[in-house]
Amino acid sequence: MMPAFKHRINTALSQREKAGLTRNLKTLDGGNRVQLSCGEQSFINFSNNDYLGLACDKALTDAWQQGLKRYGAGSGASPLVTGFSPAHAGLQSALCEWLGYERAVLFGSGFSANQALLFTLLSKEDVLLQDKLNHASLIEAGRLSDARMKRFKHNDLSHLSRLISTDHNTLVVTEGVFSMDGDKAPLKQIEQEIDQRAWLMVDDAHGIGVLGAYGSGSCHLAGVKPDLLVVTFGKAFGLSGAAVMCSEATGNYLTQFARHYVYSTAIPPSQAYAITCAIDIIQRQQWRRDKLDELAQVYDELFCTLDGYVATSTPIRPFIIGCSERAVRVAAELNKQGFWVTAIRPPTVPEGSSRLRITLTAAHSSEHIVQLAQALKRSLELSQ
Ligand SMILES: Cc1ncc(COP(=O)(O)O)c(C=O)c1O
């Protein structure tokens, strides 16, 4: 029998095309800056997650270069072989001191940290409870894990409480800030609702660096210390990679058994060195968070009367369009007017809630937001 892969691939691609949901990879120069260019054209970028404007910060690029001079390019091996350097050890200590955990276990990405954690921790008799809007990396890891996964309605405490099983080991997983909606989880209430009946894991990819005193994230802001905290370095840190913050015993357990840790090359030491420098900048440069607050005020004043506006207290500003074709048309119209704003469609968000995912960064100016508001009004009219 001929393998069916070719047919499967072509069918999936044409179905996605017919549904108007094809995603296109674009080569962008400056996707990590406010001003980006695509071919000959340039745009104001409202799409990246570099919330504090660190991705191109000179102190950070200098730190990475110093790290390269000091440690060379790659790490050479997985952490338990020879890939764990003083730069990795320094990063772990800085994270533990900052966030108040005994251990930090480093991963190449948030996606792999989430998978590693759920795969390693959960077994067959366990119950995994996830917020319905958790990131794809968490939902997919939960589906593939050995546990029985149930999803509770978004931020719905009573639904969560009903699902907590007293007969089974239970892990509750939520995000600090939801990536596509920009709202926060009610962490304090979730902790109270759980009331020692389960472990709590928080993925704070979008809250760390941005919220809380010294940028210490959603959990510190809420006065909660989850059993497991995942922080990622690809957003406010302006870099990439992730860490699982946990107890000494859990750290030892992950180091022994997490396959994504044991069987994967450690991040380059120069990168660990740069991430440590980013922690220092995040803690010391409060002005970046203050700037985000100022920009948020400007945004709220200008956008709050528009149909589709959603109030959030984070730099993630979803603007709901509803129909996915129209979301794409509005984004294309904005594009024509010199703005780079991404249309987010199913399956990333639920059917009928396609949106523009507008992100503010400390590198924007108020004027950029004024210009975006004018262009959005025009684009909404033109794409009726
Ligand atoms: C909530 C959340 N968790 C995890 C990830 C994955 O992190 P990374 O990009 O480091 O793989 C993302 C990325 O978008 C995210 O939004």
Side-chain angles (χ1 to χ4, degrees), residues 61-83:
T61 52
D62 282 354
W64 200 323
Q65 278 160 11
Q66 282 160 21
L68 281 168
K69 279 203 192 113
R70 210 149 137 183
Y71 300 104
S75 67
S78 58
L80 292 171
V81 180
T82 62

Side-chain angles (χ1 to χ4, degrees), residues 109-112 114 135 137 175 177 179 203 205-206 232 234-235 241-242:
S109 72
F111 202 101
S112 63
N114 283 338
H135 187 253
S137 57
E175 293 181 17
V177 172
S179 55
D203 174 344
H206 298 275
T232 70
K235 278 101 174 142

